[in-house]
Amino acid sequence: MEETLKLLCRLQTVDSSLDELEEMKGDLPAVVASLQSSVDSYQSLITEKQNIITSSVMARDKADVDILEFKEKLEKYKAQQYEVRNNKEYDALTKEIDFASESMKNLEKQFASLESAMTSAKSEIDAAAVQLEEVKKQLDEKTAELAEVSKANEEEELQLTHQRQKIVVRLKGDTLSRYDRIRKGRSGKAVAVVRRGSCGGCHNKIPPQRLMELRTQKKMFMCEHCGRILISEELARSSATAV
Ligand SMILES: [Zn+2]
């Protein structure tokens, strides 16, 4: 039983290291993905603003042409006003003049608002371009970091997996499945070392009678609070060099 407990203790150490490696990997891909989505959204913002500029240029040029047309008409009407023969004609021309000058006013307003829309779109593009460069730089860094971590972890992971296999073949099937079951339910920690009379997993006190039994290492004991496999400190120490 002592041998089994030592193996379980060693297995827990190996599994915890593997969990840590997994966590290290787990964070970077998420960071890279989030940076990538920032890059995408800045790029689509820039495209959207460029489209606004393109359509504003077209609308502004059209407004410019229309303004000139109304201006010509206005001059023509004003000249005609000198040649009218009656009030009816005069009133009709006045109506045309009012309409043309009102239209010109509206077009000029439109022209000005298109110009300002273009200016603000341009400055938004400039700001987004700065941000995009910054995020792209971070993305490159994190992508390289992830590649490095994956590469560095690869070797360690292989070593740990190998160690794990060596331990596992020496454990009985039901012991291993019990270990796996507890590990799953207790956030990766199936084995708890007893420290100062308490379970190292949940920190609850262990009855003195049970502590005495634990030291004999004749049987496997579980913590009655968290269900983890209890191992004495002495055994934990000696297990570090056992395998
Ligand atoms: Zn416990």
Side-chain angles (χ1 to χ4, degrees), residues 17-42:
S17 303
L18 280 167
D19 287 347
E20 272 172 38
L21 288 185
E22 219 32 58
E23 268 170 43
M24 275 164 73
K25 266 200 249 167
D27 179 43
L28 272 172
V31 171
V32 167
S34 122
L35 286 168
Q36 183 62 60
S37 93
S38 293
V39 165
D40 293 346
S41 68
Y42 280 125

Side-chain angles (χ1 to χ4, degrees), residues 130-148:
V130 172
Q131 302 275 5
L132 178 62
E133 272 315 298
E134 184 54 40
V135 177
K136 261 187 180 169
K137 221 168 76 186
Q138 285 176 24
L139 177 62
D140 287 347
E141 277 170 18
K142 290 291 170 191
T143 306
E145 219 174 287
L146 176 60
E148 213 171 290

Side-chain angles (χ1 to χ4, degrees), residues 114-182:
L114 286 165
E115 286 266 277
S116 86
M118 279 162 62
T119 309
S120 69
K122 265 180 203 154
S123 65
E124 277 174 89
I125 287 175
D126 290 344
V130 172
Q131 302 275 5
L132 178 62
E133 272 315 298
E134 184 54 40
V135 177
K136 261 187 180 169
K137 221 168 76 186
Q138 285 176 24
L139 177 62
D140 287 347
E141 277 170 18
K142 290 291 170 191
T143 306
E145 219 174 287
L146 176 60
E148 213 171 290
V149 167
S150 304
K151 206 173 151 235
N153 284 0
E154 219 175 301
E155 247 173 72
E156 204 182 338
E157 199 180 323
L158 211 70
Q159 255 178 15
L160 286 166
T161 310
H162 185 60
Q163 280 180 39
R164 190 179 203 280
Q165 279 164 351
K166 284 206 296 187
I167 298 167
V168 163
V169 291
R170 293 166 67 181
L171 283 168
K172 277 191 195 137
D174 59 339
T175 307
L176 191 63
S177 60
R178 176 186 270 182
Y179 166 89
D180 284 336
R181 207 169 44 243
I182 303 171

Side-chain angles (χ1 to χ4, degrees), residues 22 30 36 45 55 84 88 102 105 159-161 181 231:
E22 219 32 58
Q36 183 62 60
L45 178 79
S55 62
V84 290
K88 205 177 157 201
E102 191 60 33
K105 243 189 254 167
Q159 255 178 15
L160 286 166
T161 310
R181 207 169 44 243
I231 281 181

Side-chain angles (χ1 to χ4, degrees), residues 192 199-204 223-228 230:
C199 165
C202 67
H203 308 295
N204 276 301
C223 170
E224 54 190 35
H225 298 280
C226 69
R228 290 186 177 93
L230 290 171

Side-chain angles (χ1 to χ4, degrees), residues 40-51:
D40 293 346
S41 68
Y42 280 125
Q43 270 164 345
S44 65
L45 178 79
I46 289 172
T47 308
E48 187 195 314
K49 297 295 168 188
Q50 273 163 345
N51 291 339

Side-chain angles (χ1 to χ4, degrees), residues 14 47 57 68 133 138 177 207 211 216 235:
V14 170
T47 308
V57 167
L68 276 175
E133 272 315 298
Q138 285 176 24
S177 60
L211 280 173
T216 65
L235 195 95

